[in-house]
Amino acid sequence: METMISFSAPSFLHIPTPHEPTTPPLRKSMFFSTTTTNTTTQLTNSPLLSIVHGNKSKSKLFTALSPSPLTESSNTPEAETEVEPKGEKFDWYSQWYPVMPICDLDKRAPHGKKVLGIDVVVWWDRNESAWKVFDDACPHRLAPLSEGRIDQWGRLQCVYHGWCFNGSGDCKLIPQAPPDAPPFHTFKKACVAAYPSTVQNGMLWFWPNSDPQYKDILERKKPPYIPEIDDPSYTSLMGNRDIPYGYEVLIENLMDPAHVPYAHYGIMQKVDREGGRPLELAIEKLDVNGFLAEQGWSKSKFMPPCVFYAYSHDQPAPSGENQKSSKQKKFSLIFVCIPVSPGKSRLIWCFPRNFGLWMDKIVPRWFFHIGQNLILDSDLYLLHVEEYKLMEVGSANWAKACFVPTKSDALVVGFRKWLNKYAGGQVDWRGKYSGVLAPTPPREQLFDRYWSHVVNCRSCNRAYKSLNVAEVALQIICVASIGIVAAMKQGTMSTFTRSSMVVVAVLSFALSRWLAHFIYKNFRYHDYNHAFR
């Protein structure tokens, strides 16, 4: 079922929510109108179907009963740049940021990541049984600690000169220091900057300030908490991918359902290529802490800087059933958008649901990720180019450059309002970057799946290695079968056996070629041409 939700990854954000106080629906606007029965049927029939398909109308996903926003100027999303009010300023460096899902981190080795322009190393301290986040630079000569190792005493070791550090960042060993020398390892300059970190909702979070005053920040401020992820009655498989466009563009895309039938036709929208309809979206509340949006049958929340959360309303039990005999089917869509650097971001997704749990026990996680990556690929180039055009006009001129007259863009406009009003109009990189994006790489590099996902996903990495072993094994079987037939003298092998060996050789060769294509297309590079879909 992660498949089902997964195939809406960048576009299906308007799902009903059980956890917010109910408000009157907006003219019966509908974004997800599939019945739970039909949803279950879709999951059973195909792991590649999205939850957004229904069987009542070929364009059901985009049904809305409101009049055109163009005829109601008072309801049109406003995109004016707002002046930041006094006393309400979003501090990018006083927030918790997720680094990676815990399920994709290997405790045996350190991992290098970049978040908010900060290079960090993540490693498992077995002495404290906790994940640690350090500055990814050895204080000796600034070699990356992420290229190091965890030594036999459970310390993080820099492999350039062997300096070792404990879980607090204190240097415990300088091999080059003579025994009679001063204790250089105790000097403050020998320590590594250690960031506050915690594990919540299956993700490792860190606070991007190593000042000692933030050592106990977790007692004062915690990361956003989403109960469905930790609820044992829900299934909540995660995925992650590095994205070749920036944080702002990533969040806007996830908040925009109107592009689904066009950008994702053939993956999520299989019935009607021209399935666009007016959408009734509205922002209910917007302040420095984000905003709440209402879509009639669903709600969504933006919890800055990273979390966009869409969830379903409570639905009445089916006719003829009571609450005791029918468990309420619920699902949520959680997107965690991490600013990495200008033109780069990281997405962590999770789609908790309390039904169809059997599917995750049968279908391997990597198989779901194939479809989720295809969704991301289908509008990747569009958004990459869009970001370059926005850079040319400047983030402050977004409202002037983009024409957003309909209510289908209400959430995108709401995000831009929040960004301009409270957060300075863009991510605060603290002068680390010039603001100029790197040139567009070749498509093979832009659409690369191996370095952007496979190496960072334990399940896909294992599948990739296993499938490559299977391909080699098939080639060996092919060669061995032909060799046996050629080596055997005439008459020592029956005609049937000889024919069988030839068939095995041909089938092994054909299967190895198909497997090679499957591996390359799903784990290395998959181009996406909308004109031929």
Side-chain angles (χ1 to χ4, degrees), residues 280-294:
E280 192 82 26
L281 313 180
I283 301 294
E284 286 189 341
K285 177 185 177 182
L286 188 148
D287 57 27
V288 69
N289 297 313
F291 59 75
L292 176 68
E294 168 70 43

Side-chain angles (χ1 to χ4, degrees), residues 19 227-236 327-331 352-358 360:
H19 303 295
E228 293 96 322
I229 296 180
D230 292 338
D231 191 329
S233 66
Y234 283 71
T235 181
S236 52
K327 185 176 76 171
Q328 184 67 50
K329 293 182 179 179
K330 300 177 183 179
F331 54 90
R353 69 186 189 282
N354 66 350
F355 57 97
L357 277 63
W358 59 268
D360 293 344

Side-chain angles (χ1 to χ4, degrees), residues 165-232:
F165 307 89
N166 67 7
S168 299
D170 301 326
C171 183
K172 306 305 291 183
L173 175 67
I174 299 178
Q176 294 77 27
D180 57 348
F184 296 120
H185 68 279
T186 64
F187 290 15
K188 185 177 180 180
K189 290 193 67 175
C191 299
V192 181
Y195 297 101
S197 59
T198 187
V199 173
Q200 181 169 282
N201 284 146
M203 292 176 279
L204 175 63
W205 301 72
F206 89 109
W207 186 269
N209 195 322
S210 60
D211 191 288
Q213 66 175 307
Y214 297 108
K215 182 179 180 180
D216 300 320
I217 187 62
L218 190 62
E219 298 177 4
R220 290 173 276 151
K221 183 175 182 179
K222 299 181 184 298
Y225 180 70
I226 301 173
E228 293 96 322
I229 296 180
D230 292 338
D231 191 329

Side-chain angles (χ1 to χ4, degrees), residues 213-277:
Q213 66 175 307
Y214 297 108
K215 182 179 180 180
D216 300 320
I217 187 62
L218 190 62
E219 298 177 4
R220 290 173 276 151
K221 183 175 182 179
K222 299 181 184 298
Y225 180 70
I226 301 173
E228 293 96 322
I229 296 180
D230 292 338
D231 191 329
S233 66
Y234 283 71
T235 181
S236 52
L237 297 181
M238 288 188 179
N240 76 87
R241 181 166 173 177
D242 291 339
I243 308 294
Y245 48 82
Y247 159 86
E248 298 94 335
V249 175
L250 175 61
I251 287 190
E252 287 179 355
N253 185 50
L254 296 170
M255 293 180 176
D256 171 27
H259 75 284
V260 173
Y262 304 100
H264 305 311
Y265 175 77
I267 309 171
M268 297 165 54
Q269 185 76 9
K270 295 179 179 295
V271 179
D272 185 2
R273 182 185 289 272
E274 301 300 330
R277 296 292 185 273

Side-chain angles (χ1 to χ4, degrees), residues 2-3 6-7 48 241 267 349 364-377 449 453 460 463 467 518-519 521-523 526:
E2 183 183 329
T3 317
S6 67
F7 280 123
L48 302 181
R241 181 166 173 177
I267 309 171
W349 63 84
R365 178 174 173 238
W366 64 266
F367 184 74
F368 293 131
H369 287 180
I370 289 176
Q372 292 159 351
N373 279 309
L374 185 61
I375 285 284
L376 292 171
D377 285 342
R449 287 191 185 179
H453 173 73
C460 289
L467 292 173
F518 178 85
I519 293 170
K521 185 176 181 179
N522 293 291
F523 294 93
H526 183 107

